[in-house]
Amino acid sequence: MRNDINPIKGEEATKTGGSETIVIPAGDDKMSPKAVERELLWWKKAVVYQIYPRSFQDSNGDGVGDLRGIISRLDYVKSLGIDIIWLNPIFVSPNDDNGYDISNYCDIMPEFGTMEDFNLLLKEVHGRGLKLILDLVVNHTSDEHLWFMQARQSRTNPFYNYYYWWPAEEGKPPFRRSYFDEDGSAWKYNEPTDSYYLHYFSVKQPDLNWGNPEVRREVYKIMRFWFDKGIDGFRMDSIPLIGKDPAFPEIDPDEYPNIYEYYAKNPSLHDYLKEMNDEVLSKYNITTVGEGSAVRASDVSKFVELARRELNMLYHFGPSEVRNFSKPDSPDTGIDYSLIELKQMFTEWDRAVADGWPTVYLGNHDQPRMVSRFADDSPPYHDVSAKMLATFLLTMRGTPYWYAGDEIGMNNIKFNRIEDYNDIATRNEYKRIKKQKGDLKAFLREQKQVSRDNARTPFQWDDSSNAGFTDGQPWLKINDNYEKINVAAEEKDPNSILNYFKKMMVLRKTRKALIWGNYSLLDPENKQVYVYAREIDDEKFLIVLNFSPRKTQTRCGTDVRRAELILCNYADEPNQNSAESITLRPFEALVYRL
């Protein structure tokens, strides 16, 4: 078994294609058109590292992470082997939804720093050979944006049509549900205009009217502003929701029992994305990824097929839906969701992208920590199960999106009191349940597993005060386990989650099958094991993952006794296997070269 994975060595030559430098291994004097395309589409072979700026590193003692703090930690980020940094919103915002309510798109939130700080950050990121993408939120603005402050003054104001309104004289607006509103309604009455404005999210996040060409022109100007600065792309928040029917017809509950799926179905959406690509995206060497709010697998190809010229990638909510709503395959597995459904979901989405490109993730700022939700964060299995999940994400087909802190095994903080939560989704849902005299204790128990604040606690750098995150009072409580789970401790431990993650990164980058290879699901009905093959040309790998805390077996039709074991997430050798089956310890991960 090899645990000393090293990059492929040898002299390399370069050729230039467009604005990209193509690296050609020694001896490859000619590259096929497919190979050239692979090198030019740099985002396909990248690993994206998501940083929640508020929680990453504070540089000035105010308890809030900032751009200077990120700059101070770039060498750490570089050491991980990642390619792209994605920052959650850093623009000016009153922070009703932690930056997803933007009041000025072309300046930096003062808590995070200045435009000079951003310029330095971009320079330092590029100086390390990394790329930077920003979070763009254009389904809605803050109600404190100049556009909306003007719009809400009168119906004759030029900015009134920048947003969606329902005149009060036409009666009660057709029902639309809000994600965050404590009353559940997506309409809010505005007295000066005697009309209701639409807000799919918080009441302080009015939806932009994309049907207005002036709105689209303003959005494209914002995008060009940042691309001209040199950023490498956008992650586009809630982008499937920008298409709306301004007549707001009644929604058939039988056709759309989940109203949010209706939000992502408006045909105008793809007209807007095509125009955006033609007007802006196609003019720059950048990448785009859309947050696939309410998008089903059957629709993903419409966003990402190259010939459609819309977006490069779209990530979906499939993992959280399986985790939140599926039932265990069996009480004997120790898995409290359906692994079979999880496998089917990832396989379905992989096929659905057609000639586009998939994304893979298990956690982000909107989801709880992945080791707490998809594995086991209790002491006996915390480390080995976190390593198993890293093996999964870095061997699947598609661009992996890795959330900062998962590489050291940060887990859910599990607050006991509503006062400890900052997240608007949790706080407003608590208010709604309280109004309805519901079960608040049950709600708080649930939030220990599902609240977004579980992923937003400050990054754990070392065992000093406040985990090395800040010299002040942190904006959100730090997990009590920071004295054991932190970067400094794990960098010294050769068997740590962090060092395993780095090995996995090297393995992925040096094996073309793990990036470009086909994905084939094996043993699909196994209730405890996720096993699949990755294959391209003469290179083939078998990945075997036990998602359960129980010893188990898989029969995948491969005699691994003749294969080379490349990596295992246990420190000692795995079980002896037979020709018919592979025996796995709890949360064991095995990577074979066939």
Side-chain angles (χ1 to χ4, degrees), residues 76 79-80 387 406-409 486-493 495-503:
Y76 166 77
S79 76
L80 298 176
K387 293 174 182 177
D406 284 339
E407 73 274 13
I408 60 171
N486 63 70
V487 169
E490 295 195 27
E491 284 182 329
K492 299 173 185 176
D493 179 2
N495 294 315
S496 68
I497 301 168
L498 177 59
N499 281 315
Y500 184 87
F501 173 82
K502 291 179 180 180
K503 289 177 184 177

mmCIF file with all atom_site columns, all heavy atoms in Angstrom, residues 76 79-80 387 406-409 486-493 495-503:
data_model
loop_
_atom_site.group_PDB
_atom_site.id
_atom_site.type_symbol
_atom_site.label_atom_id
_atom_site.label_alt_id
_atom_site.label_comp_id
_atom_site.label_asym_id
_atom_site.label_entity_id
_atom_site.label_seq_id
_atom_site.pdbx_PDB_ins_code
_atom_site.Cartn_x
_atom_site.Cartn_y
_atom_site.Cartn_z
_atom_site.occupancy
_atom_site.B_iso_or_equiv
_atom_site.pdbx_formal_charge
_atom_site.auth_seq_id
_atom_site.auth_comp_id
_atom_site.auth_asym_id
_atom_site.auth_atom_id
_atom_site.pdbx_PDB_model_num
ATOM 1   N N   . TYR A 1 76  ? -1.182  29.027 3.820  1.00 0.00 ? 76  TYR A N   1
ATOM 2   C CA  . TYR A 1 76  ? -1.865  27.801 4.260  1.00 0.00 ? 76  TYR A CA  1
ATOM 3   C C   . TYR A 1 76  ? -2.765  27.277 3.146  1.00 0.00 ? 76  TYR A C   1
ATOM 4   O O   . TYR A 1 76  ? -2.740  26.078 2.819  1.00 0.00 ? 76  TYR A O   1
ATOM 5   C CB  . TYR A 1 76  ? -2.690  28.068 5.520  1.00 0.00 ? 76  TYR A CB  1
ATOM 6   C CG  . TYR A 1 76  ? -3.663  26.959 5.831  1.00 0.00 ? 76  TYR A CG  1
ATOM 7   C CD1 . TYR A 1 76  ? -3.231  25.766 6.397  1.00 0.00 ? 76  TYR A CD1 1
ATOM 8   C CD2 . TYR A 1 76  ? -5.023  27.098 5.525  1.00 0.00 ? 76  TYR A CD2 1
ATOM 9   C CE1 . TYR A 1 76  ? -4.129  24.732 6.655  1.00 0.00 ? 76  TYR A CE1 1
ATOM 10  C CE2 . TYR A 1 76  ? -5.922  26.071 5.787  1.00 0.00 ? 76  TYR A CE2 1
ATOM 11  C CZ  . TYR A 1 76  ? -5.472  24.889 6.350  1.00 0.00 ? 76  TYR A CZ  1
ATOM 12  O OH  . TYR A 1 76  ? -6.360  23.862 6.596  1.00 0.00 ? 76  TYR A OH  1
ATOM 13  N N   . SER A 1 79  ? -0.848  25.672 0.507  1.00 0.00 ? 79  SER A N   1
ATOM 14  C CA  . SER A 1 79  ? -0.272  24.382 0.925  1.00 0.00 ? 79  SER A CA  1
ATOM 15  C C   . SER A 1 79  ? -1.244  23.228 0.761  1.00 0.00 ? 79  SER A C   1
ATOM 16  O O   . SER A 1 79  ? -0.839  22.064 0.709  1.00 0.00 ? 79  SER A O   1
ATOM 17  C CB  . SER A 1 79  ? 0.187   24.458 2.389  1.00 0.00 ? 79  SER A CB  1
ATOM 18  O OG  . SER A 1 79  ? -0.918  24.395 3.293  1.00 0.00 ? 79  SER A OG  1
ATOM 19  N N   . LEU A 1 80  ? -2.533  23.520 0.689  1.00 0.00 ? 80  LEU A N   1
ATOM 20  C CA  . LEU A 1 80  ? -3.538  22.467 0.545  1.00 0.00 ? 80  LEU A CA  1
ATOM 21  C C   . LEU A 1 80  ? -3.549  21.874 -0.856 1.00 0.00 ? 80  LEU A C   1
ATOM 22  O O   . LEU A 1 80  ? -4.051  20.772 -1.057 1.00 0.00 ? 80  LEU A O   1
ATOM 23  C CB  . LEU A 1 80  ? -4.930  23.023 0.869  1.00 0.00 ? 80  LEU A CB  1
ATOM 24  C CG  . LEU A 1 80  ? -5.145  23.552 2.286  1.00 0.00 ? 80  LEU A CG  1
ATOM 25  C CD1 . LEU A 1 80  ? -6.532  24.153 2.409  1.00 0.00 ? 80  LEU A CD1 1
ATOM 26  C CD2 . LEU A 1 80  ? -4.933  22.465 3.325  1.00 0.00 ? 80  LEU A CD2 1
ATOM 27  N N   . LYS A 1 387 ? -11.922 11.414 6.883  1.00 0.00 ? 387 LYS A N   1
ATOM 28  C CA  . LYS A 1 387 ? -11.013 11.012 5.799  1.00 0.00 ? 387 LYS A CA  1
ATOM 29  C C   . LYS A 1 387 ? -11.767 10.269 4.696  1.00 0.00 ? 387 LYS A C   1
ATOM 30  O O   . LYS A 1 387 ? -11.467 10.420 3.509  1.00 0.00 ? 387 LYS A O   1
ATOM 31  C CB  . LYS A 1 387 ? -9.892  10.124 6.352  1.00 0.00 ? 387 LYS A CB  1
ATOM 32  C CG  . LYS A 1 387 ? -8.931  10.844 7.283  1.00 0.00 ? 387 LYS A CG  1
ATOM 33  C CD  . LYS A 1 387 ? -7.930  9.863  7.902  1.00 0.00 ? 387 LYS A CD  1
ATOM 34  C CE  . LYS A 1 387 ? -6.997  10.550 8.882  1.00 0.00 ? 387 LYS A CE  1
ATOM 35  N NZ  . LYS A 1 387 ? -6.069  9.591  9.528  1.00 0.00 ? 387 LYS A NZ  1
ATOM 36  N N   . ASP A 1 406 ? -13.339 21.833 6.689  1.00 0.00 ? 406 ASP A N   1
ATOM 37  C CA  . ASP A 1 406 ? -13.612 20.400 6.582  1.00 0.00 ? 406 ASP A CA  1
ATOM 38  C C   . ASP A 1 406 ? -12.319 19.598 6.486  1.00 0.00 ? 406 ASP A C   1
ATOM 39  O O   . ASP A 1 406 ? -12.290 18.418 6.850  1.00 0.00 ? 406 ASP A O   1
ATOM 40  C CB  . ASP A 1 406 ? -14.496 20.112 5.371  1.00 0.00 ? 406 ASP A CB  1
ATOM 41  C CG  . ASP A 1 406 ? -15.957 20.492 5.600  1.00 0.00 ? 406 ASP A CG  1
ATOM 42  O OD1 . ASP A 1 406 ? -16.361 20.604 6.774  1.00 0.00 ? 406 ASP A OD1 1
ATOM 43  O OD2 . ASP A 1 406 ? -16.690 20.678 4.612  1.00 0.00 ? 406 ASP A OD2 1
ATOM 44  N N   . GLU A 1 407 ? -11.242 20.227 6.003  1.00 0.00 ? 407 GLU A N   1
ATOM 45  C CA  . GLU A 1 407 ? -9.965  19.515 5.883  1.00 0.00 ? 407 GLU A CA  1
ATOM 46  C C   . GLU A 1 407 ? -9.310  19.245 7.234  1.00 0.00 ? 407 GLU A C   1
ATOM 47  O O   . GLU A 1 407 ? -8.336  18.481 7.313  1.00 0.00 ? 407 GLU A O   1
ATOM 48  C CB  . GLU A 1 407 ? -9.002  20.274 4.963  1.00 0.00 ? 407 GLU A CB  1
ATOM 49  C CG  . GLU A 1 407 ? -8.412  21.547 5.559  1.00 0.00 ? 407 GLU A CG  1
ATOM 50  C CD  . GLU A 1 407 ? -9.274  22.772 5.388  1.00 0.00 ? 407 GLU A CD  1
ATOM 51  O OE1 . GLU A 1 407 ? -10.470 22.631 5.020  1.00 0.00 ? 407 GLU A OE1 1
ATOM 52  O OE2 . GLU A 1 407 ? -8.780  23.884 5.614  1.00 0.00 ? 407 GLU A OE2 1
ATOM 53  N N   . ILE A 1 408 ? -9.813  19.870 8.304  1.00 0.00 ? 408 ILE A N   1
ATOM 54  C CA  . ILE A 1 408 ? -9.324  19.528 9.648  1.00 0.00 ? 408 ILE A CA  1
ATOM 55  C C   . ILE A 1 408 ? -10.408 18.830 10.469 1.00 0.00 ? 408 ILE A C   1
ATOM 56  O O   . ILE A 1 408 ? -10.211 18.551 11.651 1.00 0.00 ? 408 ILE A O   1
ATOM 57  C CB  . ILE A 1 408 ? -8.784  20.762 10.409 1.00 0.00 ? 408 ILE A CB  1
ATOM 58  C CG1 . ILE A 1 408 ? -9.864  21.838 10.587 1.00 0.00 ? 408 ILE A CG1 1
ATOM 59  C CG2 . ILE A 1 408 ? -7.550  21.335 9.708  1.00 0.00 ? 408 ILE A CG2 1
ATOM 60  C CD1 . ILE A 1 408 ? -9.466  22.974 11.514 1.00 0.00 ? 408 ILE A CD1 1
ATOM 61  N N   . GLY A 1 409 ? -11.554 18.589 9.846  1.00 0.00 ? 409 GLY A N   1
ATOM 62  C CA  . GLY A 1 409 ? -12.621 17.864 10.522 1.00 0.00 ? 409 GLY A CA  1
ATOM 63  C C   . GLY A 1 409 ? -13.482 18.704 11.438 1.00 0.00 ? 409 GLY A C   1
ATOM 64  O O   . GLY A 1 409 ? -14.051 18.180 12.403 1.00 0.00 ? 409 GLY A O   1
ATOM 65  N N   . ASN A 1 486 ? -7.508  21.541 15.289 1.00 0.00 ? 486 ASN A N   1
ATOM 66  C CA  . ASN A 1 486 ? -6.993  22.814 14.781 1.00 0.00 ? 486 ASN A CA  1
ATOM 67  C C   . ASN A 1 486 ? -5.843  22.544 13.809 1.00 0.00 ? 486 ASN A C   1
ATOM 68  O O   . ASN A 1 486 ? -5.258  21.460 13.800 1.00 0.00 ? 486 ASN A O   1
ATOM 69  C CB  . ASN A 1 486 ? -6.563  23.738 15.919 1.00 0.00 ? 486 ASN A CB  1
ATOM 70  C CG  . ASN A 1 486 ? -5.423  23.186 16.742 1.00 0.00 ? 486 ASN A CG  1
ATOM 71  O OD1 . ASN A 1 486 ? -4.284  23.092 16.274 1.00 0.00 ? 486 ASN A OD1 1
ATOM 72  N ND2 . ASN A 1 486 ? -5.719  22.786 17.991 1.00 0.00 ? 486 ASN A ND2 1
ATOM 73  N N   . VAL A 1 487 ? -5.533  23.544 12.999 1.00 0.00 ? 487 VAL A N   1
ATOM 74  C CA  . VAL A 1 487 ? -4.507  23.386 11.963 1.00 0.00 ? 487 VAL A CA  1
ATOM 75  C C   . VAL A 1 487 ? -3.141  23.077 12.559 1.00 0.00 ? 487 VAL A C   1
ATOM 76  O O   . VAL A 1 487 ? -2.428  22.175 12.102 1.00 0.00 ? 487 VAL A O   1
ATOM 77  C CB  . VAL A 1 487 ? -4.439  24.652 11.086 1.00 0.00 ? 487 VAL A CB  1
ATOM 78  C CG1 . VAL A 1 487 ? -3.212  24.623 10.173 1.00 0.00 ? 487 VAL A CG1 1
ATOM 79  C CG2 . VAL A 1 487 ? -5.709  24.794 10.251 1.00 0.00 ? 487 VAL A CG2 1
ATOM 80  N N   . ALA A 1 488 ? -2.748  23.845 13.580 1.00 0.00 ? 488 ALA A N   1
ATOM 81  C CA  . ALA A 1 488 ? -1.403  23.687 14.135 1.00 0.00 ? 488 ALA A CA  1
ATOM 82  C C   . ALA A 1 488 ? -1.153  22.263 14.615 1.00 0.00 ? 488 ALA A C   1
ATOM 83  O O   . ALA A 1 488 ? -0.085  21.680 14.369 1.00 0.00 ? 488 ALA A O   1
ATOM 84  C CB  . ALA A 1 488 ? -1.196  24.685 15.277 1.00 0.00 ? 488 ALA A CB  1
ATOM 85  N N   . ALA A 1 489 ? -2.130  21.688 15.308 1.00 0.00 ? 489 ALA A N   1
ATOM 86  C CA  . ALA A 1 489 ? -1.970  20.320 15.814 1.00 0.00 ? 489 ALA A CA  1
ATOM 87  C C   . ALA A 1 489 ? -1.927  19.307 14.675 1.00 0.00 ? 489 ALA A C   1
ATOM 88  O O   . ALA A 1 489 ? -1.124  18.368 14.687 1.00 0.00 ? 489 ALA A O   1
ATOM 89  C CB  . ALA A 1 489 ? -3.113  19.993 16.772 1.00 0.00 ? 489 ALA A CB  1
ATOM 90  N N   . GLU A 1 490 ? -2.765  19.510 13.674 1.00 0.00 ? 490 GLU A N   1
ATOM 91  C CA  . GLU A 1 490 ? -2.864  18.524 12.601 1.00 0.00 ? 490 GLU A CA  1
ATOM 92  C C   . GLU A 1 490 ? -1.693  18.604 11.628 1.00 0.00 ? 490 GLU A C   1
ATOM 93  O O   . GLU A 1 490 ? -1.335  17.596 11.000 1.00 0.00 ? 490 GLU A O   1
ATOM 94  C CB  . GLU A 1 490 ? -4.205  18.662 11.883 1.00 0.00 ? 490 GLU A CB  1
ATOM 95  C CG  . GLU A 1 490 ? -5.380  18.326 12.793 1.00 0.00 ? 490 GLU A CG  1
ATOM 96  C CD  . GLU A 1 490 ? -6.674  18.088 12.047 1.00 0.00 ? 490 GLU A CD  1
ATOM 97  O OE1 . GLU A 1 490 ? -6.632  17.685 10.868 1.00 0.00 ? 490 GLU A OE1 1
ATOM 98  O OE2 . GLU A 1 490 ? -7.740  18.304 12.656 1.00 0.00 ? 490 GLU A OE2 1
ATOM 99  N N   . GLU A 1 491 ? -1.102  19.765 11.490 1.00 0.00 ? 491 GLU A N   1
ATOM 100 C CA  . GLU A 1 491 ? 0.078   19.858 10.628 1.00 0.00 ? 491 GLU A CA  1
ATOM 101 C C   . GLU A 1 491 ? 1.229   19.017 11.184 1.00 0.00 ? 491 GLU A C   1
ATOM 102 O O   . GLU A 1 491 ? 2.048   18.493 10.418 1.00 0.00 ? 491 GLU A O   1
ATOM 103 C CB  . GLU A 1 491 ? 0.508   21.319 10.471 1.00 0.00 ? 491 GLU A CB  1
ATOM 104 C CG  . GLU A 1 491 ? -0.387  22.114 9.530  1.00 0.00 ? 491 GLU A CG  1
ATOM 105 C CD  . GLU A 1 491 ? 0.062   23.540 9.332  1.00 0.00 ? 491 GLU A CD  1
ATOM 106 O OE1 . GLU A 1 491 ? 0.643   24.117 10.291 1.00 0.00 ? 491 GLU A OE1 1
ATOM 107 O OE2 . GLU A 1 491 ? -0.176  24.096 8.248  1.00 0.00 ? 491 GLU A OE2 1
ATOM 108 N N   . LYS A 1 492 ? 1.295   18.852 12.496 1.00 0.00 ? 492 LYS A N   1
ATOM 109 C CA  . LYS A 1 492 ? 2.377   18.092 13.132 1.00 0.00 ? 492 LYS A CA  1
ATOM 110 C C   . LYS A 1 492 ? 2.116   16.588 13.140 1.00 0.00 ? 492 LYS A C   1
ATOM 111 O O   . LYS A 1 492 ? 3.044   15.797 13.347 1.00 0.00 ? 492 LYS A O   1
ATOM 112 C CB  . LYS A 1 492 ? 2.564   18.574 14.573 1.00 0.00 ? 492 LYS A CB  1
ATOM 113 C CG  . LYS A 1 492 ? 2.955   20.039 14.703 1.00 0.00 ? 492 LYS A CG  1
ATOM 114 C CD  . LYS A 1 492 ? 2.957   20.461 16.168 1.00 0.00 ? 492 LYS A CD  1
ATOM 115 C CE  . LYS A 1 492 ? 3.224   21.950 16.334 1.00 0.00 ? 492 LYS A CE  1
ATOM 116 N NZ  . LYS A 1 492 ? 3.121   22.383 17.753 1.00 0.00 ? 492 LYS A NZ  1
ATOM 117 N N   . ASP A 1 493 ? 0.864   16.206 12.944 1.00 0.00 ? 493 ASP A N   1
ATOM 118 C CA  . ASP A 1 493 ? 0.479   14.801 13.038 1.00 0.00 ? 493 ASP A CA  1
ATOM 119 C C   . ASP A 1 493 ? 0.413   14.186 11.641 1.00 0.00 ? 493 ASP A C   1
ATOM 120 O O   . ASP A 1 493 ? -0.468  14.525 10.853 1.00 0.00 ? 493 ASP A O   1
ATOM 121 C CB  . ASP A 1 493 ? -0.879  14.694 13.725 1.00 0.00 ? 493 ASP A CB  1
ATOM 122 C CG  . ASP A 1 493 ? -1.372  13.258 13.834 1.00 0.00 ? 493 ASP A CG  1
ATOM 123 O OD1 . ASP A 1 493 ? -0.643  12.326 13.416 1.00 0.00 ? 493 ASP A OD1 1
ATOM 124 O OD2 . ASP A 1 493 ? -2.509  13.067 14.312 1.00 0.00 ? 493 ASP A OD2 1
ATOM 125 N N   . ASN A 1 495 ? -0.697  11.481 10.655 1.00 0.00 ? 495 ASN A N   1
ATOM 126 C CA  . ASN A 1 495 ? -1.923  10.720 10.427 1.00 0.00 ? 495 ASN A CA  1
ATOM 127 C C   . ASN A 1 495 ? -3.192  11.558 10.569 1.00 0.00 ? 495 ASN A C   1
ATOM 128 O O   . ASN A 1 495 ? -4.293  11.023 10.666 1.00 0.00 ? 495 ASN A O   1
ATOM 129 C CB  . ASN A 1 495 ? -1.994  9.535  11.404 1.00 0.00 ? 495 ASN A CB  1
ATOM 130 C CG  . ASN A 1 495 ? -0.909  8.517  11.136 1.00 0.00 ? 495 ASN A CG  1
ATOM 131 O OD1 . ASN A 1 495 ? -0.658  8.145  9.982  1.00 0.00 ? 495 ASN A OD1 1
ATOM 132 N ND2 . ASN A 1 495 ? -0.241  8.063  12.185 1.00 0.00 ? 495 ASN A ND2 1
ATOM 133 N N   . SER A 1 496 ? -3.042  12.876 10.572 1.00 0.00 ? 496 SER A N   1
ATOM 134 C CA  . SER A 1 496 ? -4.194  13.755 10.780 1.00 0.00 ? 496 SER A CA  1
ATOM 135 C C   . SER A 1 496 ? -5.106  13.801 9.557  1.00 0.00 ? 496 SER A C   1
ATOM 136 O O   . SER A 1 496 ? -4.717  13.406 8.441  1.00 0.00 ? 496 SER A O   1
ATOM 137 C CB  . SER A 1 496 ? -3.721  15.169 11.096 1.00 0.00 ? 496 SER A CB  1
ATOM 138 O OG  . SER A 1 496 ? -3.094  15.763 9.962  1.00 0.00 ? 496 SER A OG  1
ATOM 139 N N   . ILE A 1 497 ? -6.299  14.318 9.759  1.00 0.00 ? 497 ILE A N   1
ATOM 140 C CA  . ILE A 1 497 ? -7.231  14.533 8.650  1.00 0.00 ? 497 ILE A CA  1
ATOM 141 C C   . ILE A 1 497 ? -6.613  15.494 7.647  1.00 0.00 ? 497 ILE A C   1
ATOM 142 O O   . ILE A 1 497 ? -6.717  15.294 6.423  1.00 0.00 ? 497 ILE A O   1
ATOM 143 C CB  . ILE A 1 497 ? -8.569  15.095 9.177  1.00 0.00 ? 497 ILE A CB  1
ATOM 144 C CG1 . ILE A 1 497 ? -9.203  14.143 10.180 1.00 0.00 ? 497 ILE A CG1 1
ATOM 145 C CG2 . ILE A 1 497 ? -9.537  15.366 8.030  1.00 0.00 ? 497 ILE A CG2 1
ATOM 146 C CD1 . ILE A 1 497 ? -10.368 14.744 10.956 1.00 0.00 ? 497 ILE A CD1 1
ATOM 147 N N   . LEU A 1 498 ? -5.977  16.546 8.139  1.00 0.00 ? 498 LEU A N   1
ATOM 148 C CA  . LEU A 1 498 ? -5.371  17.551 7.263  1.00 0.00 ? 498 LEU A CA  1
ATOM 149 C C   . LEU A 1 498 ? -4.319  16.940 6.347  1.00 0.00 ? 498 LEU A C   1
ATOM 150 O O   . LEU A 1 498 ? -4.317  17.192 5.132  1.00 0.00 ? 498 LEU A O   1
ATOM 151 C CB  . LEU A 1 498 ? -4.752  18.667 8.102  1.00 0.00 ? 498 LEU A CB  1
ATOM 152 C CG  . LEU A 1 498 ? -4.003  19.758 7.344  1.00 0.00 ? 498 LEU A CG  1
ATOM 153 C CD1 . LEU A 1 498 ? -4.907  20.461 6.336  1.00 0.00 ? 498 LEU A CD1 1
ATOM 154 C CD2 . LEU A 1 498 ? -3.402  20.764 8.326  1.00 0.00 ? 498 LEU A CD2 1
ATOM 155 N N   . ASN A 1 499 ? -3.423  16.143 6.889  1.00 0.00 ? 499 ASN A N   1
ATOM 156 C CA  . ASN A 1 499 ? -2.374  15.551 6.058  1.00 0.00 ? 499 ASN A CA  1
ATOM 157 C C   . ASN A 1 499 ? -2.925  14.481 5.118  1.00 0.00 ? 499 ASN A C   1
ATOM 158 O O   . ASN A 1 499 ? -2.397  14.289 4.012  1.00 0.00 ? 499 ASN A O   1
ATOM 159 C CB  . ASN A 1 499 ? -1.245  15.011 6.939  1.00 0.00 ? 499 ASN A CB  1
ATOM 160 C CG  . ASN A 1 499 ? -0.331  16.129 7.407  1.00 0.00 ? 499 ASN A CG  1
ATOM 161 O OD1 . ASN A 1 499 ? 0.056   16.993 6.623  1.00 0.00 ? 499 ASN A OD1 1
ATOM 162 N ND2 . ASN A 1 499 ? -0.005  16.140 8.695  1.00 0.00 ? 499 ASN A ND2 1
ATOM 163 N N   . TYR A 1 500 ? -3.980  13.814 5.531  1.00 0.00 ? 500 TYR A N   1
ATOM 164 C CA  . TYR A 1 500 ? -4.647  12.883 4.614  1.00 0.00 ? 500 TYR A CA  1
ATOM 165 C C   . TYR A 1 500 ? -5.267  13.645 3.446  1.00 0.00 ? 500 TYR A C   1
ATOM 166 O O   . TYR A 1 500 ? -5.181  13.223 2.289  1.00 0.00 ? 500 TYR A O   1
ATOM 167 C CB  . TYR A 1 500 ? -5.708  12.082 5.356  1.00 0.00 ? 500 TYR A CB  1
ATOM 168 C CG  . TYR A 1 500 ? -6.384  11.029 4.503  1.00 0.00 ? 500 TYR A CG  1
ATOM 169 C CD1 . TYR A 1 500 ? -5.846  9.762  4.371  1.00 0.00 ? 500 TYR A CD1 1
ATOM 170 C CD2 . TYR A 1 500 ? -7.568  11.327 3.822  1.00 0.00 ? 500 TYR A CD2 1
ATOM 171 C CE1 . TYR A 1 500 ? -6.458  8.798  3.574  1.00 0.00 ? 500 TYR A CE1 1
ATOM 172 C CE2 . TYR A 1 500 ? -8.183  10.376 3.023  1.00 0.00 ? 500 TYR A CE2 1
ATOM 173 C CZ  . TYR A 1 500 ? -7.621  9.120  2.907  1.00 0.00 ? 500 TYR A CZ  1
ATOM 174 O OH  . TYR A 1 500 ? -8.224  8.171  2.113  1.00 0.00 ? 500 TYR A OH  1
ATOM 175 N N   . PHE A 1 501 ? -5.901  14.781 3.754  1.00 0.00 ? 501 PHE A N   1
ATOM 176 C CA  . PHE A 1 501 ? -6.495  15.608 2.695  1.00 0.00 ? 501 PHE A CA  1
ATOM 177 C C   . PHE A 1 501 ? -5.431  16.016 1.673  1.00 0.00 ? 501 PHE A C   1
ATOM 178 O O   . PHE A 1 501 ? -5.666  15.957 0.462  1.00 0.00 ? 501 PHE A O   1
ATOM 179 C CB  . PHE A 1 501 ? -7.135  16.853 3.320  1.00 0.00 ? 501 PHE A CB  1
ATOM 180 C CG  . PHE A 1 501 ? -7.626  17.864 2.318  1.00 0.00 ? 501 PHE A CG  1
ATOM 181 C CD1 . PHE A 1 501 ? -8.861  17.711 1.708  1.00 0.00 ? 501 PHE A CD1 1
ATOM 182 C CD2 . PHE A 1 501 ? -6.862  18.969 1.981  1.00 0.00 ? 501 PHE A CD2 1
ATOM 183 C CE1 . PHE A 1 501 ? -9.312  18.641 0.778  1.00 0.00 ? 501 PHE A CE1 1
ATOM 184 C CE2 . PHE A 1 501 ? -7.298  19.899 1.051  1.00 0.00 ? 501 PHE A CE2 1
ATOM 185 C CZ  . PHE A 1 501 ? -8.535  19.730 0.451  1.00 0.00 ? 501 PHE A CZ  1
ATOM 186 N N   . LYS A 1 502 ? -4.262  16.409 2.149  1.00 0.00 ? 502 LYS A N   1
ATOM 187 C CA  . LYS A 1 502 ? -3.198  16.817 1.230  1.00 0.00 ? 502 LYS A CA  1
ATOM 188 C C   . LYS A 1 502 ? -2.753  15.649 0.347  1.00 0.00 ? 502 LYS A C   1
ATOM 189 O O   . LYS A 1 502 ? -2.471  15.814 -0.847 1.00 0.00 ? 502 LYS A O   1
ATOM 190 C CB  . LYS A 1 502 ? -2.013  17.380 2.018  1.00 0.00 ? 502 LYS A CB  1
ATOM 191 C CG  . LYS A 1 502 ? -2.310  18.720 2.703  1.00 0.00 ? 502 LYS A CG  1
ATOM 192 C CD  . LYS A 1 502 ? -1.105  19.209 3.500  1.00 0.00 ? 502 LYS A CD  1
ATOM 193 C CE  . LYS A 1 502 ? -1.379  20.540 4.180  1.00 0.00 ? 502 LYS A CE  1
ATOM 194 N NZ  . LYS A 1 502 ? -0.211  21.022 4.962  1.00 0.00 ? 502 LYS A NZ  1
ATOM 195 N N   . LYS A 1 503 ? -2.677  14.446 0.919  1.00 0.00 ? 503 LYS A N   1
ATOM 196 C CA  . LYS A 1 503 ? -2.339  13.265 0.117  1.00 0.00 ? 503 LYS A CA  1
ATOM 197 C C   . LYS A 1 503 ? -3.394  13.015 -0.960 1.00 0.00 ? 503 LYS A C   1
ATOM 198 O O   . LYS A 1 503 ? -3.077  12.688 -2.108 1.00 0.00 ? 503 LYS A O   1
ATOM 199 C CB  . LYS A 1 503 ? -2.218  12.025 1.011  1.00 0.00 ? 503 LYS A CB  1
ATOM 200 C CG  . LYS A 1 503 ? -1.004  11.999 1.913  1.00 0.00 ? 503 LYS A CG  1
ATOM 201 C CD  . LYS A 1 503 ? -1.045  10.756 2.785  1.00 0.00 ? 503 LYS A CD  1
ATOM 202 C CE  . LYS A 1 503 ? 0.114   10.729 3.772  1.00 0.00 ? 503 LYS A CE  1
ATOM 203 N NZ  . LYS A 1 503 ? 0.045   9.558  4.668  1.00 0.00 ? 503 LYS A NZ  1
#
